[in-house]
Each structure stands twice: as C-alpha cells, then as structure tokens.
Amino acid sequence: MALEQFSDVVQRCEALPNDSYTSDDHNVFTIAGRTCIEEGNSPQVLSIVLDEKNQNIVRSMGWNLLPPLIQVLLKKEDKHLPQCLSIFNHLLETCRPKELLIGLLEQLEHDDPDRIAESLHLLLNPLQKVLLCLGSRKASSLGMTLSSVLDQLAKLPVPVTKEQEEDDVFSLCRCCTDLIQFVRPFVQEARLNQSSGNQLEKSHKTASGQDEGAEDELQTELLKFCMKTLSQPLLDVQIRDPDTLPLSPLRTFASEILDILGAVGESLPSLLFHPLLKRKEVPGFLEEEVRYPKNSLASLAHLVFVHHLAADTFPSVFSPVFCLRSNMEHISILLSRPEDSRLQKGLELYEKSLVRVEDGSLPADLLEIKTFLTVPQDLVKVMTVCPKHDLRTKGLKLFQLSIDKFRTEAKYRFFQYMLRTSNHSGVEGYVIKNIKNQIDAALQPGNSNIWFEGAHLLPLLRKVFSLPDGPETDLLQNLDRVMESLNLLRYLVIRDKVTENQTGIWTELYKIEDAFMKPLRVGLNMSRAHYERELQDTMENKKKKTKDESVLSVSVDGDELPKMTSESQIQALHSALHTFDMIESVLVRIEELIEVKDGPEPAGEPHPLKT
C-alpha cells in the first residue's frame, strides 16, 4: 500500500513544474516513502529515487526520507543496508544543502550515550559535505552545526582513568577525533584567509565588503567553537602527559583546538593574559565576555602552563611574577567551582604558577589585587570542605607555598587578613603557627625585621591572643587556634628576654592576660564543669537503661550529638575532658614561666623551646 502511494505521488508530481508541489504532495511523499523504507521496500525506493525523470522531485522532497534511512544505517543489521546507503548518498548529492543540513541535525539529537556516539560518527562526514556545498554562505550554518555537535558531545561521560581513555569506553575519544576531521577543511579555509589578509591586506577582497565579512564570520564561528570546546569537554577531562599515556586522543584533541585558535588569528599570550592586557576592539556582534568566556580562558591556561601544549608558540619573555598575576584570575575561576575536576585543575595551575616564583619575592602591594585575596579563601574551602583527601592535602601544601613566596611585609599583611576572614579554627591555627615561625626567624642573629618584632608585631599578636566569644568560646571547636596561640605565647615567654623585649611581649603581657589568659581560664572551668555533669548524667542513665534502650541522644551546649551507644558517648566525653586538661597544662606552664621571668633573673636562662 505504501509503495503504491509513493509511486503514485512521484508519477503525479512528474508533470508538475519544479517547486510547485502542494503540501499534500509533500505529506504523501514523506509518509509513504518513510513507510516503504521501514517495511523493507528500500530496493524499490532506490529505483524510484535514481530514476532520472524524478530528480526534481527528489531534489525538492527527498531530504524527508533521511530519518528512516539513518535509523537503518545506525543499526547496521538490515538486509537492505546497501540499498539504504545508496539512497542516503544520492540524497546528499541531489537535495538542497540547507534542507539536508536541517534533516541531518535533527537526527543528531539523542540522550543515550551509545546512540550519540554512533550518530556523530555516521553523520559528521555527511554534514561536512553539505556545509562545503554552501560556499561563502556557510559560516552561520557551520556555527549552528558545531553548537549542536558540542551539545551532544557534552552528554557523553568523560574517561576518569588512563585505561578508560585507552579503551575509549565512552566513545568520547573517537567523537573528538571525528570532530577534528570534520572541522579541518573550515580551519584550513580560515587559515588561508588569515594568511591572505596579512600578506595582501585584503585589497582584492574589500571592493564590495561581502567576502571580507564572510571571512570574519567564519573565524568568529570557529573561535566560538574553540571557546566552547575549552569549557566542555576539555575543562572536565583529565589530560595525561606523554610519559603517562604516549598516545592520548584527548591530548591530541586539545592540541588541535589550540592550533585552531592560531588559525583564526588569536594570539595565545593575548588570550592567557587577558585579565592584565587591554585587548584591541574587535568588530563583530560578540561582546567581550561572550567572545572570551572566563571558564574557557582558565581551561586554556591550564593546558598551556600545566601540560605545556603549544609551548613552542609561546614566548618565554614573560616573568614568573607576571604569569602568576595573570593566572590568578584563571585560578580563582577554577577554585570557585564545586566540581572535583575543576578544583584539581585550579590547584595544578596554581602550583605551576607558584613554583617558578622565587621564595620571598612577592611584594605586599600584590595583596591589593582582588584575586590574591580570593584565591586563598578558595583554598581554605578546598582545605576544609572538599570531600577528597588528596585535594585537601594539596590545598594545604599550596597554601603554605603561597605564604613562602611573599616578602616579609606581605606575609604580615596576609596573616592579618586570614585571621580576620578565615573563620575556621584549623586555618587560624595554621596561620598562627606560621606567625611563630616568622618571629623565630626575625629573632635569629642578623635577621631582624620591623614586621615581626616590636611595634608592628603587637597588633598582630592582639589578633592572635583573643577568644572569639570570650569565656563562652567553644574550646573544642576552636581547639586548633587555642593550642597554637598558647604554643606561640609559651615560645615568646621563653625566647624573648625581659631585658631585651624584642617582640614587645613583656610590655603587652598585661593586656594578653586580660584578653586571653583569664577568659581562657574561666572558659576552661565552665567547659569542664559542664562536661563532667554530662558524663555523670550519662553514666547514671546507662545504669537505668536496659540493653534494648542502649542508644542515646545527648545534647552538649545546645547541640544534639549524633546518636551513639552509651559506651561511645562516655568515651567522647572523657576525650573532651582530656582535651581541657591538655589546654590547662600548657596554660599553667605559661603562668609559671611568666612568674619566673617577672621575678629575679635566674642564673641559667631556660633553653628556647624546640617546637
């Protein structure tokens, strides 16, 4: 039935003038033709399609047959596969390019990763042929095609391990290779246009202005493609170095993208140093933030500075400090994201940028640049919130490395900022430990400096020797900060002689006692009394409860602790009381040292505490 309808509509349309077919003709041709292919009548459809007298009809309506043909080609099991392939190829040669383009792009849309990969592999080459038939009018159609292809590519999972990339378990590698093959002739055309424009100043192309506009539009579409690709998938995939994976399709894909950027006239240094260099005005419809997305530039910086892609095209005249300043914007973009892949790349880029900088060389005025303050805050989030242990560890390592690169004044101002803004006891404790190290270095013979001695040091010490909530401070939650503050105070009392008072600790001591030591003593007594009462209540409840009722819910300081057995609860309360004893032992030792120092000078000065 469908075959008869298809033959009838073709015969009826033979006598009609070209392009004068009605909507009913189109509907019957489409429905009957698709049904014929689905029912296995592809040989008869092929005969009709190849008939010379039917070419006008095929040219006008043949593209409607693409969906069932593509389904057969994707399955690869139909007994009429050769006939369907012949019909498909004939349609590509005969139908109008714009209609073919629409029909092919519609068949790209899938959600299943396997179907996506197979569709891209099958259709990219036909799409390339169709676009090349459009001549100088192809730029916008190319942009639409690339956007659709990348949207599909984004649905594919990315390989996590080296083995997954080697085996291409998600077909992403094959799709990326196919995509580079697809875009190659258009890149070559853009490269020739760029070369021709540089050599001849486009003198022979600007008579009408049309050709020049077409060239600019082609370069713009390819630039958009590169920027979108840098953001996804390249920002999500892990690029492996040649030592790890000698033949890496994803590394090759990234290198090709960087090569395309050069082909469309983009300078890598200009792109990478975008935050610091004022870019030239670029004519066209794209605004700056759209033309050069920040995520894409961050991805580009990671490829160049971490993996050294396109290193042979990158000049080596830029100083390490200049590169660091520029990369801080890219690092901030990456570290502000929650995805592990982005955090990993941000940490890697920060490390590569820092290691080239000489220790103690970064001046304090860099802290007036926003990113030199936001990046440490992003590091704090990685160190304290990120669920992956290796990322937390690397974040802490880079936090210390960044401190080491600052000059003395910059370290001082950085410590002030972190104590004011970090709001995390562990980070504050780590900063206080660094402050102690800087004071110790300043007290060594010949190393004196104005920032970690005397008048400048005192404001910093006042920030250190304070409790966030006075006597009511949660000592367990703030344990790291409290212990490091006590260790620093003990060090200062032992190391700095009363007669020399290099740090100013002895003239400041009465303030420290009032603002830190006395409130800490009150807080310790309150906390110990509270936890001892909780321990007593828990032990009494344990005796009253039966074994079936052994799971308790206990509140401490208004917060309900996770439900646990009474034995575990008792153990936790004992641990808290042991912590209070540890804090008190250090506090008592400091009070004893102060009493000795305030009294007659002993015959033998205590040896400086090794910490």
Side-chain angles (χ1 to χ4, degrees):
M1 180 68 177
L3 182 58
E4 292 177 3
Q5 289 180 329
F6 187 66
S7 300
D8 288 343
V9 71
V10 171
Q11 290 177 4
R12 185 172 66 253
C13 291
E14 286 179 13
L16 298 176
N18 193 20
D19 287 340
S20 62
Y21 315 119
T22 66
S23 59
D24 287 340
D25 294 332
H26 280 273
N27 289 336
V28 174
F29 181 94
T30 300
I31 296 172
R34 291 181 178 181
T35 304
C36 287
I37 296 170
E38 292 167 355
E39 292 179 348
N41 294 316
S42 301
Q44 293 86 342
V45 174
L46 175 61
S47 177
I48 294 172
V49 167
L50 293 179
D51 195 327
E52 185 64 31
K53 64 179 180 294
N54 297 331
Q55 295 314 294
N56 286 338
I57 304 169
V58 174
R59 183 177 298 106
S60 179
M61 295 187 277
W63 68 279
N64 291 293
L65 302 179
L66 288 174
L69 290 171
I70 291 173
Q71 295 309 309
V72 171
L73 296 178
L74 287 173
K75 290 179 181 178
K76 303 176 183 177
E77 298 175 352
D78 196 289
K79 64 179 181 179
H80 297 305
L81 178 62
Q83 290 83 1
C84 289
L85 182 59
S86 298
I87 297 171
F88 182 71
N89 289 332
H90 184 70
L91 295 181
L92 292 179
E93 297 293 333
T94 307
C95 297
R96 299 185 184 98
K98 286 192 175 182
E99 292 168 342
L100 282 172
L101 182 66
I102 294 172
L104 292 171
L105 289 179
E106 287 176 351
Q107 299 308 305
L108 277 181
E109 296 292 330
H110 297 287
D111 292 320
D112 178 65
D114 292 334
R115 292 295 301 274
I116 290 171
E118 290 300 321
S119 295
L120 288 173
H121 186 64
L122 173 66
L123 298 179
L124 279 176
N125 189 52
L127 281 166
Q128 183 191 73
K129 292 180 179 179
V130 169
L131 287 166
L132 290 173
C133 291
L134 292 174
S136 61
R137 299 172 288 111
K138 63 178 167 290
S140 60
S141 298
L142 174 63
M144 178 176 64
T145 302
L146 290 172
S147 178
S148 298
V149 170
L150 289 178
D151 287 343
Q152 291 298 298
L153 202 67
K155 298 177 183 179
L156 295 178
V158 299
V160 177
T161 65
K162 181 184 74 169
E163 292 73 22
Q164 287 179 339
E165 182 177 354
E166 285 179 317
D167 298 336
D168 196 17
V169 293
F170 306 121
S171 299
L172 178 66
C173 298
R174 184 179 72 166
C175 290
C176 288
T177 301
D178 291 341
L179 183 53
I180 290 299
Q181 293 295 330
F182 166 79
V183 81
R184 184 156 287 148
F186 310 109
V187 174
Q188 183 62 24
E189 181 179 344
R191 195 188 304 274
L192 291 173
N193 292 339
Q194 183 73 18
S195 176
S196 175
N198 291 338
Q199 294 175 10
L200 304 177
E201 298 180 352
K202 299 183 180 181
S203 60
H204 65 293
K205 292 186 178 282
T206 55
S208 64
Q210 295 178 352
D211 289 338
E212 181 184 5
E215 292 174 12
D216 290 340
E217 192 176 354
L218 177 62
Q219 293 175 2
T220 296
E221 295 299 341
L222 289 172
L223 174 62
K224 288 165 61 178
F225 162 71
C226 290
M227 289 293 133
K228 190 170 182 179
T229 304
L230 285 168
S231 180
Q232 199 172 33
L234 288 178
L235 199 51
D236 294 322
V237 302
Q238 181 180 353
I239 303 297
R240 290 172 174 81
D241 293 326
D243 292 342
T244 304
L245 187 60
L247 297 177
S248 169
L250 294 178
R251 188 176 65 246
T252 301
F253 179 67
S255 297
E256 293 282 357
I257 294 301
L258 269 57
D259 183 65
I260 295 172
L261 286 172
V264 298
E266 293 293 338
S267 162
L268 287 185
S270 181
L271 289 172
L272 291 172
F273 301 140
H274 187 273
L276 296 183
L277 301 178
K278 184 178 180 181
R279 295 185 57 85
K280 63 181 180 179
E281 289 290 331
V282 181
F285 59 91
L286 286 179
E287 296 293 337
E288 184 80 356
E289 290 298 323
V290 177
R291 192 178 185 93
Y292 305 105
K294 292 182 178 180
N295 281 335
S296 302
L297 297 181
S299 177
L300 177 63
H302 183 267
L303 292 173
V304 172
F305 286 99
V306 176
H307 296 290
H308 308 295
L309 298 187
D312 55 336
T313 66
F314 197 83
S316 57
V317 297
F318 301 106
S319 71
V321 175
F322 181 83
C323 292
L324 173 65
R325 284 187 59 189
S326 178
N327 282 340
M328 290 297 278
E329 179 75 25
H330 307 313
I331 294 163
S332 180
I333 293 293
L334 294 171
L335 292 183
S336 64
R337 301 290 300 175
E339 300 90 346
D340 287 346
S341 61
R342 311 290 173 94
L343 295 177
Q344 177 75 32
K345 290 178 186 292
L347 293 174
E348 289 173 349
L349 180 57
Y350 196 23
E351 182 177 32
K352 290 292 184 180
S353 302
L354 282 173
V355 294
R356 298 178 62 239
V357 176
E358 184 180 352
D359 284 356
S361 65
L362 297 180
D365 57 9
L366 286 180
L367 294 175
E368 298 175 7
I369 301 173
K370 181 180 178 181
T371 52
F372 277 84
L373 298 178
T374 57
V375 166
Q377 291 291 4
D378 292 331
L379 272 183
V380 166
K381 293 178 183 177
V382 175
M383 292 155 49
T384 58
V385 178
C386 181
K388 294 192 68 173
H389 175 74
D390 58 331
L391 295 183
R392 295 199 306 272
T393 302
K394 188 160 191 172
L396 179 60
K397 172 187 172 184
L398 292 179
F399 187 75
Q400 182 62 56
L401 184 60
S402 66
I403 292 173
D404 295 340
K405 301 302 176 181
F406 285 122
R407 294 177 187 171
T408 305
E409 180 186 356
K411 287 186 175 78
Y412 176 89
R413 299 196 183 283
F414 180 75
F415 295 153
Q416 281 187 317
Y417 174 77
M418 293 307 300
L419 287 176
R420 188 173 68 250
T421 61
S422 65
N423 297 318
H424 188 279
S425 174
V427 176
E428 292 167 352
Y430 195 81
V431 169
I432 293 169
K433 184 177 181 180
N434 268 273
I435 292 173
K436 183 176 78 69
N437 292 339
Q438 292 302 312
I439 295 173
D440 183 64
L443 294 179
Q444 301 302 320
N447 287 347
S448 178
N449 68 72
I450 64 171
W451 296 102
F452 290 95
E453 294 180 86
H456 277 108
L457 178 60
L458 294 181
L460 190 59
L461 293 181
R462 291 177 192 132
K463 290 182 180 294
V464 171
F465 298 127
S466 64
L467 294 175
D469 299 307
E472 297 180 355
T473 297
D474 186 332
L475 297 180
L476 295 180
Q477 184 176 346
N478 290 275
L479 178 62
D480 291 332
R481 177 190 174 118
V482 170
M483 287 304 300
E484 289 298 340
S485 297
L486 288 171
N487 286 335
L488 173 58
L489 182 56
R490 178 176 58 178
Y491 167 81
L492 291 173
V493 171
I494 293 175
R495 179 68 175 81
D496 197 6
K497 297 179 180 179
V498 177
T499 55
E500 295 181 0
N501 196 24
Q502 289 176 268
T503 63
I505 186 67
W506 295 105
T507 54
E508 189 75 8
L509 191 57
Y510 74 97
K511 294 181 181 179
I512 295 174
E513 290 175 338
D514 290 339
F516 180 64
M517 296 175 66
K518 291 179 181 178
L520 179 58
R521 169 68 67 185
V522 174
L524 273 172
N525 294 336
M526 293 170 55
S527 298
R528 182 181 285 108
H530 181 77
Y531 275 78
E532 286 175 344
R533 185 173 63 253
E534 288 288 347
L535 178 61
Q536 182 179 358
D537 291 345
T538 302
M539 295 179 70
E540 290 177 358
N541 288 334
K542 179 186 176 185
K543 294 178 182 178
K544 296 178 183 178
K545 299 290 182 180
T546 64
K547 291 184 178 180
D548 294 334
E549 301 172 320
S550 61
V551 177
L552 302 177
S553 176
V554 179
S555 296
V556 177
D557 288 344
D559 295 327
E560 185 175 306
L561 297 179
K563 290 185 178 180
M564 58 180 71
T565 62
S566 56
E567 289 81 2
S568 299
Q569 188 65 54
I570 290 171
Q571 184 179 1
L573 292 170
H574 273 301
S575 177
L577 290 170
H578 173 73
T579 299
F580 300 143
D581 290 340
M582 179 180 63
I583 295 173
E584 185 175 34
S585 67
V586 181
L587 181 60
V588 169
R589 176 58 179 156
I590 292 171
E591 291 171 342
E592 292 173 349
L593 290 169
I594 292 173
E595 185 176 354
V596 170
K597 289 286 185 115
D598 280 342
E601 189 70 23
E605 186 68 28
H607 190 277
L609 184 66
K610 294 182 180 179
T611 58

